[in-house]
Amino acid sequence: MESGAIFTGLRPNIIPHHHHQLCPSRSTIKLLPPLYSGKRHFYKLSKQLHFACFSDNSGKNVDTLQVASPSSNVVPELADIDWDNLGFEFMSTDYMYMMKCSQGENFSKGELQRFGNIQLSPSAGILNYGQGLFEGLKAYRKYDGNILLFRPEENALRLRMGAERMCMPSPTVEQFVEAVKETVLANERWIPPLGKGSLYIRPLLMGSGAVLGLAPAPEYTFLIYVSPVGNYFKEGLAPIHLIVETEMHRATPGGTGGVKTIGNYAGVLKAQSAAKAKGFSDVLYLDSVHKRYLEEVSSCNVFVVKDNVIATPSIKGTILPGITRKSIIDVAVSQGYQVEERFVAVDELLDADEVFCTGTAVVISPVGSITYLGKR
């Protein structure tokens, strides 16, 4: 899209429910002009729903959700929580989104549901064989009350890439973005005030069908829930402290380190827990072959700065292609920095001017110290 093209409106699909039906709305997505390139970065959600009406087959209103109104400027009352002390912890909200399909078919219609527990067979593919992916993105409240999503189509594309690797069907980019938008608007009162945090959005794609032998599940569920969050690290915006892990590894060549499959994260818990017990913020992992090149931190990418050069480990199948990472590279190039995606040796940390981490959860976190082989 050309950088001068602005404010394209999209009309959402009406979401059917097997018991209740979501009334038609005039809700739209608007696209903000890019700040520094011809690529899309922010979606602005125009709050043009007054009420989303749920009615049963008799036509009686079962529930109403006030989202917003452009004519009356009605803003839903914020949830009654301590916005000044938000951490990065789960908090249940009002609604979640769910969509299902069978193996070999395509996702079609989804629905908003009250947030709550879901039912799974003990033999579900996700429980027995870890056939699942997740994504993470955020919604922000602007100074004028509008809501922004940051590059949601990139999350959709990454989910589709991961689904192919994990033998799962996946929603289209349009379905993904629409589902995210519907879920955010349904939970608008949980979006923190400006400067207090953001609404973390967690899409899940999982093999929900029952399977006993090792095989792709017969049924799949796409689900989105949200939670208001503050800073990921307890340090907030203060520099974090990392330790380089030399024995355990996050991923191996030919594995699934390059996609956001759920199994990638359980494997880092032991090293991360040990590091936190020693007072470190997180763990920086090395490659599993040479054991001397940086890969990433437990849940975020890493950048090393020296003079006018910003280096970051190249995407080669063991490192997650972070969307914040990609965006930082775009920004850095536009600001005149030389960006190098390559093998970055751990020894380069000793001579670096600056190190920082990027990710949806951590945003941009400065690194204050790195401990390697006992040397800080």
Side-chain angles (χ1 to χ4, degrees), residues 359-370:
T360 296
V362 307
V363 193
I364 301 176
S365 293
V367 176
S369 73
I370 297 177

Side-chain angles (χ1 to χ4, degrees), residues 105-119:
E105 298 181 0
N106 297 318
F107 284 98
S108 55
K109 297 178 180 180
E111 61 185 18
L112 282 170
Q113 301 180 0
R114 280 287 187 181
F115 180 84
N117 294 336
I118 62 174
Q119 287 188 330

Side-chain angles (χ1 to χ4, degrees), residues 98-367:
M98 189 175 292
M99 182 163 52
K100 293 178 179 288
C101 84
S102 298
Q103 174 75 329
E105 298 181 0
N106 297 318
F107 284 98
S108 55
K109 297 178 180 180
E111 61 185 18
L112 282 170
Q113 301 180 0
R114 280 287 187 181
F115 180 84
N117 294 336
I118 62 174
Q119 287 188 330
L120 280 176
S121 166
S123 191
I126 181 71
L127 298 179
N128 290 260
Y129 299 116
Q131 193 186 21
L133 298 161
F134 74 90
E135 275 296 328
L137 61 160
K138 288 178 177 177
Y140 301 87
R141 194 180 296 278
K142 261 185 88 185
Y143 66 91
D144 60 3
N146 281 314
I147 302 162
L148 295 178
L149 296 174
F150 185 67
R151 309 185 82 172
E153 75 286 352
E154 293 285 349
N155 295 89
L157 290 169
R158 188 169 66 180
L159 183 78
R160 289 180 62 82
M161 179 182 70
E164 192 278 332
R165 176 66 176 84
M166 302 298 290
C167 298
M168 298 192 289
S170 60
T172 65
V173 172
E174 293 76 16
Q175 287 174 324
F176 181 98
V177 173
E178 183 65 26
V180 167
K181 184 193 68 172
E182 300 251 3
T183 311
V184 169
L185 290 177
N187 292 286
E188 186 186 2
R189 72 190 190 99
W190 296 94
I191 303 175
L194 179 67
K196 303 293 186 181
S198 58
L199 187 71
Y200 188 84
I201 306 162
R202 172 56 61 83
L204 291 166
L205 179 62
M206 54 187 163
S208 51
V211 57
L212 186 59
L214 181 57
E219 180 193 72
Y220 295 86
T221 297
F222 176 67
L223 185 150
I224 303 175
Y225 68 90
V226 297
S227 177
V229 296
N231 291 316
Y232 182 81
F233 291 114
K234 62 179 179 62
E235 290 87 349
L237 296 179
I240 62 173
H241 303 280
L242 303 177
I243 183 170
V244 177
E245 175 58 47
T246 58
E247 297 298 327
M248 288 181 275
H249 299 280
R250 179 191 165 273
T252 58
T256 57
V259 298
K260 208 168 176 66
T261 180
I262 59 171
N264 289 349
Y265 294 84
V268 308
L269 296 178
K270 184 174 182 179
Q272 186 188 61
S273 298
K276 290 186 175 183
K278 296 176 181 177
F280 295 102
S281 309
D282 214 326
V283 176
L284 177 57
Y285 290 91
L286 301 178
D287 76 289
S288 61
V289 178
H290 304 96
K291 300 186 179 182
R292 63 180 298 260
Y293 296 109
L294 306 183
E295 293 240 306
E296 59 181 89
V297 182
S298 301
S299 60
C300 49
N301 297 114
V302 63
F303 287 78
V304 178
V305 184
K306 180 63 177 177
D307 299 326
N308 195 53
V309 178
I310 301 178
T312 189
S314 55
I315 301 299
K316 56 185 188 302
T318 58
I319 298 172
L320 189 72
I323 294 162
T324 310
R325 172 190 181 277
K326 179 179 180 179
S327 305
I328 289 298
I329 292 173
D330 290 344
V331 173
V333 170
S334 74
Q335 296 295 314
Y337 287 93
Q338 177 182 336
V339 178
E340 298 177 351
E341 298 181 70
R342 57 174 173 81
F343 288 101
V344 181
V346 65
D347 296 335
E348 294 185 45
L349 296 173
L350 304 177
D351 193 39
D353 295 332
E354 183 180 356
V355 177
F356 61 91
C357 299
T358 66
T360 296
V362 307
V363 193
I364 301 176
S365 293
V367 176

